[in-house]
Every structure is written in structure tokens, then in C-alpha cells.
Amino acid sequence: MARSTISRRRAVQLLGAGFALAACGVDGQGGKEKVSQSDVQEYWSGKAKTGRLSWANWPGYMQDDRETIKAFEKATGIKVTYKEVIQETGPWFGKIQAPLAAGQSIGFDLMVMTNGIQLEKCRQLGYLAPLDPSRLPNFAANAGPGFKNPSYDPGNAFTVPYQAGITGIAYNTKYVKDEITSIAQLFDPRYKGRVGMMGDSQELGSFGMLLLGIDPEKSAPADWEKAAAKLREQRDSGIVRKYYRQDYVDAVSKGDVWLTMAWSGDVYSLTSPDVRFVVPEEGGTLWTDNMCIPKTAESPVDALTLMDWLYVPANNAPLTEFVNYITPVPATRQIIAADAAKATGDDRKDLTRLSTSPLVFPSAADLARLRHYRRLTQAEEIQYQKVFEPIAKGA
Amino acid sequence: MPRKVSGLHVYTMLLIAWLLLPVAIMVMFGFNDVHGKQNFRWEGFTLRWYARLLDKDDLTAAVVNSLTIALASTFVTTVVGTLAGLALGRYRFRGEGVAGLLLFMAICCPEIVMGASLLSMFVTLGLPRGHLTILASHVMFSIAFVAVTVRARVAGLDPAVEEAAQDLGAGPWTRFRLVTLPMIMPGVVAGALLAFVLSIDDFVITDFTGGATVTFPLWIYGSTRTGMPPQVNVMGTLIFAAGALAAALAARRTARAGRLPGSTGGQSGDSSIVPKMTEETSR
Amino acid sequence: MAGRRRIAPYLMILPGGLWLTVFFAAPLVLMVSLSLQTGNLVDGFRQTFHWQNYTEGLGAYGDTFARSLWYGLLATVACMALSYPAAYWIAFRGGHRKSAYLFLLLLPYFVSFVLRTVSWKLVLTDNGPVLGPLRDHGILPQGFHVLDTGFAVVSGLTYNYLPFMVLPIYVALERIDPRLVEAAGDLYASRAQAFGRVILPLSLPGVLAGVVMTFAPVSADYVNAEVLGGPRNTMIGNVIQSEYFDNSDYPVASALSFLLMAFLLLGVFAYARALGTRGVLGAEGR
């Protein structure tokens, strides 16, 4: 593995994060951003294990029979209430914002949020419990290099990754005879009415910028305008069939759209052999879904226990075998490979495919092509939304 | 009169067929032997999803949420709405016009506006959203329908019957229990049924006021993103069957009750309950 | 006794009136107030009488607004055109099976609204049971699709809101005394004349009530556009929904909601006034 590429990227990210922090300090927004040792101590002092835990997650992020949760309950004696109530980050934030602002419980002790606008808001508004690194030994020992100290949450002050994924292109080989390799093909008039794009402005905007060779993370308002113009052109010439949320999966497997922006894990777990996923030449986006604890949680200690427990490779492997996104615990690969060696028949095939899949364990070359969303400040966010939001809204 | 098949007859049948086509598809895909997450291609017949109906804990919880909220909402709405309908139908009083206007606005106001304004209020007050806020909003948008339904029924009653009861020495409570209530019962039942249907099927307002609480319609909407499991079709089929059955029975019962003395008998006795509700709400 | 009589209606209307005041009227007032505020979730919202929320909202989404009303109109007209003949046939020719036919017509609406819309999408899908075979047999061109078009949205709206139109029309038709029609015949009116001079005018209040009951909810719908529409078919409901949920831009969302409500309610009032369907306003008893 060409580790050096990643660590260079990380170094750059760290530098960027450092500047961002400094900048925040100047205009006085960063008060809640920096977590001191005493904040952590203050939060966790007097908090004790309750033996219960209520967990809000996305659909499809846990085995149907909840195998991983059962294992956790058995190992720790903590009773878990698991609910798939998060379908989109925006609406989810809308739902939890009021109680969190009022200092009330949201009914969940643990939630999974994607890095991006809403997670940033949660951090800035002081809605999240500061994590106590001393209680996350397995995270420290086993988290992959790309998952520690991410730019959107320096020092993992509030979050640890649950799963990560790539936004790339999925296409249905039954209808698309050419090989799809680039974002530019999503703008090809030959596929008029057969292209799916994502409605989320962070995803959509990032792809527009990638097309123009701009790194979204380092973009400025002028870049947004340029990308938006391209995306509008694509829409108004009738190339875009629809701006999807997650329902592109259905549309691309049915053949309503032939090629579409897509998330890696969704495509991997499709049973249809016709649909293929690619990381475009121009690059894709790498995002992370993160576990975090709302400040008003009733059982934060139990939540923290679960976070750390999932970083034991043996505990994480069954989850990864089901979820098919990128696991933050690279050592699970050996376990899955070992499981594959033990298994027979279809199981063996499935597990081998998983342990060798570039979508689940991306190669260094793929990772190097991936970019991140821009971490938008409050002022930037409004401007950014004004540029990209109306595109998907048909205005 | 010998009846030949007319063009309009054929047309009506075609219309009904069109309306039922999506329902047939829903029922059919509840029997589909699918293996992946995408349930849209026919892969053979199975009863598996009926046996595994309760496998999806979250779906089951959502259906339970929907049912409990609908029952609670129906109960509160029927009591509160019937009282309001009685007041409006029976008495002339100052402020009647304002009350009538409020009811009319509550019926005509688009759902999204109600939902959005409730959300604004809950956000401003910092109220946590959940079962109680859903219940409050469901009662809110159902009251007007029940009140108007009951009012129409009351307005059609002959006051002489009640006066006779009074002359015979019946106190107000006895009069209400033995005379008024039985006479307005068809209106109350129709209103209650309407309240139940409005609540259990509501998506828009619950979407705004539900917070992290998920009801059946919300769960379906969410599941379309990742692939709707066949259990949704099964659940939909069962609710469809139960609803259709309940309405058929209620229609029968109302038809019988409609012939009670004191009713105006304005409609033919056998007409179904649903047009009666609409007639009364649209007046 | 007399005093009691005067208090009674107020006591009876109090719980319902209070409920509607707290959860319907008060939120509307709050929404109007919020629509004039500025700020964001992080810093909070402040009342600044920022009328620009309205102009900005309309500026960015004026087209969407117009499109909503246009789709609303199309679907209402489609509902009317589809409903009237069937309601007519059932009311006058349904015989003793009248209520059975009506029941069949309403049967689909026992399926949850969202589920119904999703099923309708399944019908319209490119390789679905209807379009798939038609294309395979070369009757439709290869690139043809219905899903994710304005037509799909309007068809979904029509499908979902048909009962709001069928029922009032049916009720109005059913109430017409058949002897009136016979009398017209006796007076040598042709069937068309009998329809035009007797049935149609008598059923008009039902049609008008149907329009009132259909147009407002259809124009404000966002589920159909979301499930069945393409990039240029969004309705104002979608914008309001996403301004609330995705952007948490409560002031602009409130401004758009208020505009929508004002438009629809004023429209309904004006319409009811002009056509004299006072019954819709609930101003008259039976």
C-alpha cells in the first residue's frame, strides 16, 4: 500500500484544519469548536453506565437480524434500542435541532451523521458531547490512518467514523455499451434523459467542481458559480432525468436511468449484476458517516462503550460483511479473508469478493483520487446553498 | 327496463380498473419471491412475506405508532368535534360566524402550511417533537371534519323530538343520552371514521411535526430511498383490506341507523357512508 | 334555564375552539411573524421586518409557484373530466348497485397515500408493466418515458385526489329528483337538452364544491412531484419542504408558506363568493 500518499494528504488536511481553527479563533466563532481537557472532564464526571442505549442510524446500516447489536448486548449487558430513523442529514438535523437547542433529550444516545453542513452545525452549536479519548482505546489502536483526526473533526473531538463511502458513478451495462470512466460522460448529450444526479447540494456541487478540475474542499465562491453554470446547462439541455436522494438505486437497476451519481456501498450490495460502480477519472468524493453523542444523551457512557467496541476488528467484521461500505477498521479485512477461507460455496464467493473489493477496501490509487466536501462556514453555507440549491429544485 | 351496456358503463368500469391497477400491483408485490433489496421485478409467488411480516422491527413499530396515534386522535377528536358540531348545529350564538370561519379555514388550509406553521411554533417554543405533537396536530386537522359532519346531522334533526322528551320530564343529560345522541350517532360514527382515516394516512403534517417519531406513511416514504421491503406491501394490503371491510360494515350500519325517526331521510337509505361524509363536509 | 342555554354553546365549543386556536390559528400568526425575521439556526432568528424574505423567495421560486398553480389547475380539470361521467352514470344508471359501484370507485383510497403514489410510480416506470411491452413491440420510441415528467406528476395528482371531486359531484347528482328529468322529457326536451337544462345546472354546486376541495390540496402537494417528477417539475411544496428541512431557512420557508396559503385561501374565498356556493363556507345549514 502506498501509505505515503495518504499521509501526505493527511498532513495537508491537518494544516488546513489548523488554519481553519485559527481563523475561527479570530472572529470568535470557535469557542465551542476547541475542546479542552477540562471540558471533557466536566462532561463525563458523574456520568455512569445505565445499561441501556438508544441508537439512531440510517436504514441498511445494520444486519436485518441485528446480529452485531445482539453480540454487543451479550458482551456488555447493555440493552440497545436501535432505530433506522435517519434518512437524510438535513431533515435529521431539522428534527433534533429544537430539543438540542432547548437542552432536552432527543431520545437517542448515539447517532450517525455524515460529515458536512449539518455535522458542522452540531459542532458549532455545542450539540455534541466531547469524546473522552481515554475511553476509546480500541479506536486508538485499530482505526485506519484515514479515519483518525479527520479535517472535519480535528482530533476526533466529537466523532468517530462508523463507515465511509465514495460518491462515484454507477451505470447499468444493459443499456450503456461504452465503458464509463469520467464525470464528463454524465454531461454527454448522448445520454439525454438517462442521467441521474444527486439532489444534495454538497454532492451535486462537488461533482460539478470535480468536472472542472476544482478540488471542492479548496473551492471558493467563484468556483461554485462556474460549477453551477455547468450543472444548469446539463439540466436545461435535458440530460438530467432526475435529481435523486437515495432512490437512484432503484432507478438505475430498473433502467429508468442508465448512469448516475452513486454511493459505493449501495451499488456493491445491489444484487443486479448489470450495475457497475466506478471512481471517475476526475475524482470522486470520500465521505464519512460518524458516530456521535448528543450532549443531552441519557446514556453517554454506554454510547461511548459501543463506539469503542465496534473498533475491535472481530466485532466490526460481521457488520462490514453486511454493510459493504468502507470500514474504518482495516484489520477486519484479514478477518473477512479468514472467514472466506473457512466458508464454502456462495458464502465463500461473497466473502472473497468483499475482502478483495476496491469499494470496501479501496486501493491507495483510488483513495488518492478522492476529494472531500468543503467545510463551509456559516456565512459560506448560505452562499453555497443559494448557488446550488435551486438547481435541483428546478428553479 | 332492459339494460344494455352503454358507453358510460364501459367508461365507469375502465375508470375503476385504472384506479385499482396500482392497488393490484401493491398486493401482487407482497407475494413476490424477491431476493435482493429491489422489489419491482416479478420473481415468483411466495407467502414468505406474510409469515415474516413482523421481521422488520422498525416497520412494526411505525405501524403500531400509526395505530395508537390514530386511535387516540379519533377518540379526542370525536368528543371535542361532536360537542362543537352540536353547538353549531343547535344554537344561535354570538361568535358563531367566527367559529364557522375557523372550521372552514382548517378544512381548506393546505396541509403543508399547517405542518410548516406548527413546526415554526414548536421550534420557536423549543418543544420537543414526538407522539404528543403528532397527536395535537392530528386532532387539530380532524376536528373541523368531525364538527362539520355532526353539525350537518344536527341541523337535519327535528327539534320537536327533543322538546317532547323535555315535556316528558327528561333532564338534560337523560335527554342527551337517550334522544340526541342516538339521533346524531350516524354523524358521529361517520366523523370518527373520517378522523381515523385522516390520522392514519397523514404524511405531510406528521413529516413536519413528528420529530424522530416515525409513523407508517413516513416509514414507507423513507424506505423508498433504499428499496421498499415486501413487508410494506403486505402491511399495506392488510390495512387496505381492514379499512375496506370496516367501511363496508359501517356503511351498512349507518344505512340502518339512517332510517331512525328524526332523521331527515334526505338521502336514499342505502347510500354509502363516504358520500354522506363528503356531502356534509362540503356543505 | 335561559342563562344556562346561553352558556351551553360556548361550553360545548370551547375545547374544539381552543384546540384550533392554539394549534391552528396561533401557529399561522407565528409563521407570519417568522416570515419577517432574519438570522440562522446558529445565531438565532430576530424580528427585523425583513420583507425581502418575500421578494427573495418569489424571485428565486416564482416559476415554481406558477408551476404549482398550473399543475393544480390541470389536475383539477382532469379530475373533473374523469369524474363527472362516472358519477353521472352511477347516480342515474347505477340502479340498486349504486353504492357498490361507488364503493369500488373509492376502494383504492383505502391504500395509504404514499404507498399509492409509489405503486403508481411502479406502473409508470420505463420497463414497467405498461410501457415495457409497448416499447418492446415498437409502439413507443426507444427514448420515450413518462416517469419524471410533468405528465407523470399531474397524473399522480389526478389519481390521488380524484375522490375529492367524485364525491361532491355524485352527491349533487344523486340528489336530483329523477322525476325532474322525466318532466323535461314530457315537455319534449331531448336527452341533451334535459342534461343541459336540468341535470347540469342542478349538479353545478357539486362540481364547484369539488373544485374547491381539490384545487387547494393539489396545488400544495409535494409528494407526487418528489416521487414522480423530474428536474423541472418541482412544485412549491417541495421548495418549502426543503427550505425547512434541508436548509433550516425558516424565514424564507415561512414566507413561501404564507404566500401559498394566502393565494389558495383568497382564491377559494373569491371563487366561493363569485359563484355563490355559500354552502362551502358553512354559512348555511341544511
Side-chain angles (χ1 to χ4, degrees):
Chain A
M1 248 197 182
R3 264 257 177 85
S4 62
T5 332
I6 299 167
S7 29
R8 214 177 319 121
R9 278 184 51 73
R10 294 243 47 88
V12 171
Q13 279 171 4
L14 270 177
L15 266 177
F19 280 124
L21 268 176
C24 282
V26 174
D27 57 33
Q29 264 193 350
K32 292 150 184 164
E33 179 112 336
K34 242 191 199 152
V35 180
S36 68
Q37 189 59 35
S38 64
D39 289 337
V40 175
Q41 259 165 11
E42 193 192 330
Y43 181 81
W44 291 99
S45 76
K47 300 270 198 301
K49 187 175 156 180
T50 63
R52 322 175 241 108
L53 167 63
S54 178
W55 181 5
N57 206 347
W58 298 62
Y61 250 3
M62 177 64 59
Q63 300 95 322
D64 285 338
D65 61 1
R66 310 272 190 263
E67 184 193 333
T68 295
I69 289 178
K70 283 177 193 153
F72 172 73
E73 288 178 329
K74 218 173 142 193
T76 61
I78 295 170
K79 175 98 188 59
V80 181
T81 312
Y82 181 82
K83 292 211 166 119
E84 299 178 336
V85 283
I86 310 180
Q87 271 128 15
E88 274 172 281
T89 316
W92 173 250
F93 180 75
K95 284 173 179 177
I96 59 174
Q97 189 273 330
L100 284 173
Q104 292 156 341
S105 161
I106 60 163
F108 293 100
D109 307 306
L110 181 69
M111 57 184 181
V112 175
M113 288 183 74
T114 315
N115 67 301
I117 293 170
Q118 285 77 19
L119 184 64
E120 187 65 26
K121 275 192 198 162
C122 280
R123 291 162 39 90
Q124 285 182 9
L125 289 163
Y127 290 170
L128 302 179
L131 300 183
D132 180 357
S134 70
R135 303 195 202 198
L136 292 166
N138 286 310
F139 170 73
N142 299 324
F147 295 97
K148 275 187 199 164
N149 195 19
S151 60
Y152 55 83
D153 184 23
N156 293 94
F158 299 100
T159 68
V160 295
Y162 180 69
Q163 296 277 321
I166 304 167
T167 309
I169 303 173
Y171 63 105
N172 192 324
T173 50
K174 231 162 92 184
Y175 304 99
V176 179
K177 295 302 166 203
D178 302 322
E179 200 184 335
I180 298 294
T181 54
S182 76
I183 295 179
Q185 283 166 296
L186 290 172
F187 290 71
D188 187 342
R190 269 197 305 164
Y191 301 120
K192 195 175 164 185
R194 295 295 174 188
V195 172
M197 297 295 280
M198 284 184 182
D200 178 271
S201 39
Q202 214 155 17
E203 292 284 16
L204 186 65
S206 296
F207 253 52
M209 288 185 254
L210 287 172
L211 172 78
L212 297 173
I214 301 163
D215 181 349
E217 201 176 5
K218 303 189 185 88
S219 62
D223 300 322
W224 306 342
E225 297 288 352
K226 271 187 265 172
K230 269 284 176 202
L231 291 164
R232 270 181 190 280
E233 194 186 307
Q234 178 203 27
R235 179 192 75 183
D236 293 338
S237 55
I239 295 170
V240 180
R241 167 76 177 255
K242 189 177 173 99
Y243 292 94
Y244 290 96
R245 295 180 190 253
Q246 208 173 356
D247 43 349
Y248 70 84
V249 180
D250 208 44
V252 76
S253 40
K254 273 183 196 155
D256 288 349
V257 289
W258 294 351
L259 60 168
T260 178
M261 284 173 72
W263 291 324
S264 53
D266 282 353
V267 178
Y268 183 93
S269 57
L270 264 183
T271 40
S272 162
D274 302 324
V275 181
R276 228 177 263 164
F277 182 89
V278 285
V279 177
E281 285 165 0
E282 297 94 332
T285 37
L286 177 68
W287 44 264
T288 314
D289 280 344
N290 302 282
M291 294 185 271
C292 46
I293 302 174
K295 208 163 197 172
T296 54
E298 283 153 10
S299 308
V301 176
D302 309 74
L304 201 61
T305 312
L306 178 77
M307 282 181 176
D308 196 51
W309 184 86
L310 279 175
Y311 274 88
V312 175
N315 297 341
N316 195 285
L319 192 65
T320 303
E321 285 174 13
F322 174 80
V323 175
N324 310 145
Y325 273 100
I326 302 169
T327 173
V329 190
T332 52
R333 186 176 200 167
Q334 284 78 35
I335 296 181
I336 295 170
D339 282 351
K342 271 183 279 172
T344 50
D346 278 354
D347 280 351
R348 180 178 194 142
K349 223 169 68 194
D350 288 348
L351 290 172
T352 310
R353 177 182 164 220
L354 189 70
S355 69
T356 55
S357 166
L359 294 186
V360 183
F361 301 98
S363 69
D366 271 352
L367 276 177
R369 267 193 290 159
L370 297 175
R371 297 289 173 266
H372 299 254
Y373 304 139
R374 178 165 180 83
R375 202 173 150 206
L376 300 161
T377 64
Q378 183 67 40
E380 277 184 339
E381 185 216 320
I382 294 168
Q383 207 179 349
Y384 185 92
Q385 295 284 32
K386 272 207 179 107
V387 173
F388 290 111
E389 182 78 12
I391 299 178
K393 282 281 154 295
Chain B
M1 185 164 70
R3 247 197 278 142
K4 60 180 197 306
V5 175
S6 68
L8 276 182
H9 189 177
V10 174
Y11 168 79
T12 306
M13 288 314 175
L14 281 177
L15 186 70
I16 290 173
W18 170 55
L19 294 175
L20 282 172
L21 178 65
V23 179
I25 287 195
M26 174 196 76
V27 175
M28 186 175 105
F29 280 96
F31 292 107
N32 190 12
D33 195 9
V34 276
H35 291 283
K37 276 184 182 171
Q38 264 57 48
N39 184 14
F40 62 85
R41 202 174 286 123
W42 184 248
E43 294 177 38
F45 180 88
T46 180
L47 286 172
R48 186 156 44 112
W49 306 115
Y50 281 77
R52 291 171 50 184
L53 177 61
L54 303 180
D55 271 14
K56 298 255 169 197
D57 290 347
D58 284 11
L59 171 61
T60 315
V63 174
V64 170
N65 275 345
S66 275
L67 285 172
T68 38
I69 290 169
L71 284 174
S73 162
T74 305
F75 177 76
V76 178
T77 311
T78 309
V79 173
V80 171
T82 301
L83 282 174
L86 263 174
L88 287 168
R90 171 86 59 80
Y91 302 97
R92 296 270 157 269
F93 57 98
R94 199 185 282 266
E96 199 186 351
V98 177
L101 187 70
L102 199 60
L103 290 185
F104 166 70
M105 280 188 57
I107 288 177
C108 284
C109 184
E111 276 193 295
I112 189 168
V113 175
M114 289 186 185
S117 61
L118 276 166
L119 178 65
S120 304
M121 182 169 86
F122 295 146
V123 166
T124 312
L125 298 180
L127 273 179
R129 279 159 282 154
H131 281 82
L132 285 179
T133 48
I134 299 181
L135 181 63
S137 53
H138 283 200
V139 171
M140 180 273 289
F141 68 70
S142 315
I143 283 181
F145 285 94
V146 176
V148 170
T149 311
V150 172
R151 178 183 65 187
R153 181 81 200 170
V154 174
L157 294 179
D158 185 351
V161 179
E162 282 201 305
E163 280 159 22
Q166 197 178 346
D167 292 346
L168 291 171
W173 173 240
T174 320
R175 223 156 57 220
F176 175 77
R177 198 164 49 88
L178 293 181
V179 182
T180 316
L181 194 60
M183 287 199 301
I184 62 167
M185 209 49 194
V188 175
V189 170
L193 210 71
L194 192 59
F196 187 83
V197 171
L198 285 172
S199 168
I200 204 162
D201 197 26
D202 180 70
F203 171 77
V204 175
I205 291 177
T206 315
D207 195 22
F208 279 90
T209 60
T213 303
V214 175
T215 59
F216 184 53
L218 260 63
W219 201 90
I220 303 172
Y221 192 67
S223 75
T224 56
R225 308 264 161 84
T226 43
M228 209 170 72
Q231 278 96 336
V232 168
N233 296 63
V234 175
M235 214 57 109
T237 306
L238 294 178
I239 291 177
F240 166 70
L245 203 70
L249 288 177
R252 233 152 229 248
R253 189 164 271 197
T254 322
R256 231 179 295 136
R259 286 191 284 271
L260 273 176
S263 78
T264 48
Q267 302 114 28
S268 53
D270 68 338
S271 71
S272 134
I273 190 168
V274 193
K276 214 172 274 174
M277 292 186 310
T278 327
E279 175 191 14
E280 282 158 359
T281 45
S282 64
R283 299 199 98 220
Chain C
M1 197 69 203
R4 192 191 174 111
R5 258 197 112 80
R6 243 177 286 136
I7 300 176
Y10 293 106
L11 284 180
M12 286 160 80
I13 208 150
L14 189 69
L18 217 54
W19 204 294
L20 283 180
T21 308
V22 173
F23 293 109
F24 176 64
L28 285 181
V29 173
L30 247 165
M31 190 181 80
V32 174
S33 150
L34 190 54
S35 73
L36 295 171
Q37 298 183 5
T38 39
N40 54 60
L41 267 185
V42 179
D43 306 328
F45 297 102
R46 267 182 305 277
Q47 184 57 268
T48 53
F49 294 98
H50 190 73
W51 295 96
Q52 285 89 329
N53 287 334
Y54 284 85
T55 47
E56 273 172 28
L58 264 188
Y61 294 109
D63 290 357
T64 318
F65 221 113
R67 189 187 300 135
S68 299
L69 299 177
W70 173 235
Y71 282 0
L73 186 72
L74 284 178
T76 306
V77 170
C79 280
M80 195 159 46
L82 288 172
S83 298
Y84 200 98
Y88 173 87
W89 184 81
I90 296 175
F92 286 99
R93 304 268 180 275
H96 62 282
R97 262 181 274 161
K98 252 186 214 177
S99 40
Y101 284 121
L102 198 67
F103 188 71
L104 276 179
L105 207 59
L106 296 176
L107 201 53
Y109 301 94
F110 287 103
V111 172
S112 174
F113 165 61
V114 179
L115 197 48
R116 210 157 62 214
T117 312
V118 173
S119 299
W120 181 235
K121 176 183 174 172
L122 220 52
V123 174
L124 294 184
T125 189
D126 290 19
N127 302 302
V130 182
L131 296 184
L134 285 178
R135 197 193 358 261
D136 292 348
H137 290 95
I139 298 168
L140 291 176
Q142 276 304 316
F144 182 84
H145 64 87
V146 173
L147 197 61
D148 311 325
T149 64
F151 177 80
V153 178
V154 174
S155 77
L157 290 169
T158 308
Y159 178 59
N160 275 316
Y161 291 90
L162 196 80
F164 291 86
M165 186 66 86
V166 161
L167 287 171
I169 295 182
Y170 171 79
V171 170
L173 284 167
E174 213 253 342
R175 216 190 279 140
I176 298 172
D177 192 334
R179 283 173 301 187
L180 284 176
V181 187
E182 281 164 31
D186 293 345
L187 294 169
Y188 303 105
S190 69
R191 278 179 69 173
Q193 277 173 321
F195 178 79
R197 295 271 178 86
V198 179
I199 298 177
L200 191 61
L202 284 175
S203 67
L204 220 48
V207 177
L208 300 181
V211 169
V212 170
M213 291 178 69
T214 317
F215 182 68
V218 164
S219 307
D221 183 276
Y222 62 88
V223 175
N224 281 279
E226 167 84 37
V227 176
L228 303 165
R232 302 308 301 265
N233 312 122
T234 41
M235 295 171 69
I236 198 68
N238 302 79
V239 176
I240 294 175
Q241 197 246 12
S242 105
E243 287 289 344
Y244 265 105
F245 289 137
D246 299 340
N247 296 351
S248 309
D249 190 349
Y250 297 137
V252 169
S254 298
L256 288 171
S257 309
F258 179 73
L259 280 175
L260 176 68
M261 183 188 66
F263 240 104
L264 294 178
L265 280 189
L266 281 181
V268 166
F269 265 113
Y271 171 92
R273 268 284 149 88
L275 296 161
T277 49
R278 278 193 308 138
V280 182
L281 298 176
E284 59 177 1
R286 193 174 265 248

